Amino acid sequence: MANTEQTYIMIKPDGVQRGLVGEIIKRFEQKGFTLRALELKMVDRALAEKHYEDLSSKPFFAGLVDYILSGPVVAMVWEGKGVVLTGRKIIGATNPAQSEPGTIRGDYAIDIGRNIIHGSDAVESAQKEIALWFPSGVAHYATALAPWIYE
Ligand code: RTP
């Protein structure tokens, strides 16, 4: 079912330290997406390196991993029709200098290496990331909202 697409969203340590957790959750919630998993956690190096393994040859990889280890992150799974692509739009372009106002990065970030939030870039990578961050699975529950969100 198209309405059950899921994405992995992570508030990075700068987003947590700056008190943006509630604001970010609010944006996904008010859009109509459903929260399926949420955990505040300190990340270990192996997990951070696995999550960003596709970037391991990049010059910024070591700094990126250190950034993710620098404080707790908020790991989440959000669900809904088109949530992977729409989630990326809510987040904004990777480099906040190019992120539109109204997006999370456009509103709250300046530097690419402190861009507050991660969102899966495709349905397939979302599935991999959800399995990596939530190996015991996510919550399934019915919400009364669905008929008011989907036609
Ligand atoms: P994310 O995975 O965090 O959602 O970011 P993304 O897909 O928009 O960007 P990606 O190219 O996958 O890069 C992952 C994260 O690495 C950091 N980065 N730093 N210094 C640099 O040139 C640079 N480029 C990327 C950013 O934190 C980016 O979100």
Side-chain angles (χ1 to χ4, degrees):
M1 267 206 314
N3 297 359
T4 59
E5 184 175 302
Q6 295 182 337
T7 192
Y8 176 65
I9 300 291
M10 177 169 69
I11 306 173
K12 297 174 178 177
D14 50 336
V16 175
Q17 295 296 328
R18 291 179 55 195
L20 295 171
V21 172
E23 174 63 30
I24 289 168
I25 289 175
K26 187 179 90 173
R27 291 182 184 210
F28 280 85
E29 225 175 16
Q30 292 190 343
K31 176 71 177 169
F33 294 131
T34 305
L35 183 62
R36 292 288 177 200
L38 180 148
E39 185 182 10
L40 175 83
K41 65 185 279 170
M42 290 298 296
V43 181
D44 64 51
R45 187 169 292 275
L47 178 56
E49 288 180 349
K50 179 80 185 153
H51 175 79
Y52 282 121
E53 67 182 354
D54 292 351
L55 301 173
S56 61
S57 61
K58 301 282 186 194
F60 58 81
F61 180 72
L64 173 59
V65 170
D66 285 346
Y67 161 45
I68 297 301
L69 301 185
S70 65
V73 303
V74 173
M76 296 181 281
V77 176
W78 286 91
E79 183 177 284
K81 190 189 286 180
V83 69
V84 172
L85 190 61
T86 303
R88 297 278 290 186
K89 288 185 184 160
I90 290 171
I91 288 170
T94 305
N95 187 344
Q98 268 107 51
S99 312
E100 295 294 331
T103 65
I104 292 167
R105 288 169 175 159
D107 288 349
Y108 299 116
I110 293 176
D111 264 356
I112 191 167
R114 296 288 183 274
N115 63 357
I116 293 183
I117 183 165
H118 161 82
S120 307
D121 62 5
V123 170
E124 198 182 43
S125 47
Q127 287 164 353
K128 266 174 64 180
E129 291 171 4
I130 292 166
L132 178 67
W133 289 87
F134 293 99
S136 24
V138 305
H140 293 284
Y141 57 94
T143 73
L145 275 178
W148 301 103
I149 304 247
Y150 299 108
E151 62 180 7

